[in-house]
Amino acid sequence: MVKGGTYMYQSEQSQTFVFQDIPRNLSQLKALPEATLSTPFQTAALALAVLYYFEQAPETAFEMLDFLKGPAPATPFEKQFIRERLRGKAYKVPSFFRGAAVENGYTPTVPYSITVTANPYSFPDENWATLYVKSSGADSPRGIKLRKKPSTGQWFLNEIQCLADIR
């Protein structure tokens, strides 16, 4: 629910995003309607779309992540954290998309669909949010922390908390 330009928690809410293709570069990412970053749900969904092909093109993924991070690009520490969580684990990010399962090697259905959910603790104040995504290889949803830039109303990626190992 949007009230006065800020998100107010009413009840558990979720939004599902469908991508015909996963963006493979910054211009493709910026062409997506969600790239306005006007809701934290959009930014969270795009963060996982950006990481989908991380192993094939990590520097391109970091360029796209910097766009999602807005005025504060990824630090060397954040980049190393992502590299360590995803190196040799190309199945991890696809596990968040619909249709991916242990049994099919975490291969999602096409078009690619991801659901982002809020809970009663997702919006501690008007400029911060932690939203959740569900991996088919984990028992509980995993978080993505976002922050709002009041001057533009855009929601930027702050911290990717969803990259722990899965089954």
Side-chain angles (χ1 to χ4, degrees):
M1 170 177 146
V2 178
K3 183 176 183 180
T6 60
Y7 272 82
M8 305 293 293
Y9 179 77
Q10 184 176 25
S11 63
E12 187 166 299
Q13 65 184 59
S14 65
Q15 292 184 17
T16 299
F17 297 89
V18 178
F19 302 101
Q20 295 303 314
D21 291 305
I22 298 292
R24 290 186 179 250
N25 59 52
L26 185 56
S27 61
Q28 288 178 3
L29 175 65
K30 287 181 174 180
L32 294 172
E34 295 84 3
T36 60
L37 311 180
S38 58
T39 75
F41 293 89
Q42 290 174 329
T43 306
L46 288 176
L48 287 170
V50 161
L51 293 174
Y52 193 92
Y53 291 115
F54 179 82
E55 279 210 311
Q56 289 95 333
E59 293 311 312
T60 301
F62 285 136
E63 181 182 24
M64 292 188 285
L65 277 178
D66 282 347
F67 170 75
L68 297 179
K69 288 188 64 65
T75 66
F77 173 80
E78 289 173 309
K79 290 179 179 183
Q80 185 60 30
F81 176 84
I82 292 168
R83 279 188 188 99
E84 288 173 2
R85 296 300 179 276
L86 297 180
R87 185 178 296 126
K89 298 177 181 180
Y91 57 88
K92 195 179 287 187
V93 174
S95 78
F96 292 101
F97 289 82
R98 183 171 297 148
V102 176
E103 299 78 27
N104 68 8
Y106 295 111
T107 303
T109 54
V110 178
Y112 302 91
S113 175
I114 188 163
T115 299
V116 180
T117 304
N119 69 27
Y121 308 102
S122 286
F123 296 96
D125 67 51
E126 67 180 308
N127 295 321
W128 290 94
T130 300
L131 300 179
Y132 296 88
V133 289
K134 179 78 172 103
S135 166
S136 56
D139 294 329
S140 58
R142 308 251 175 111
I144 298 175
K145 189 173 183 179
L146 306 119
R147 64 183 162 66
K148 182 179 182 181
K149 183 177 178 185
S151 63
T152 64
Q154 292 176 297
W155 285 87
F156 293 107
L157 180 62
N158 184 261
E159 185 178 350
I160 300 170
Q161 304 168 330
C162 62
L163 298 179
D165 283 339
I166 60 174
R167 304 187 263 285

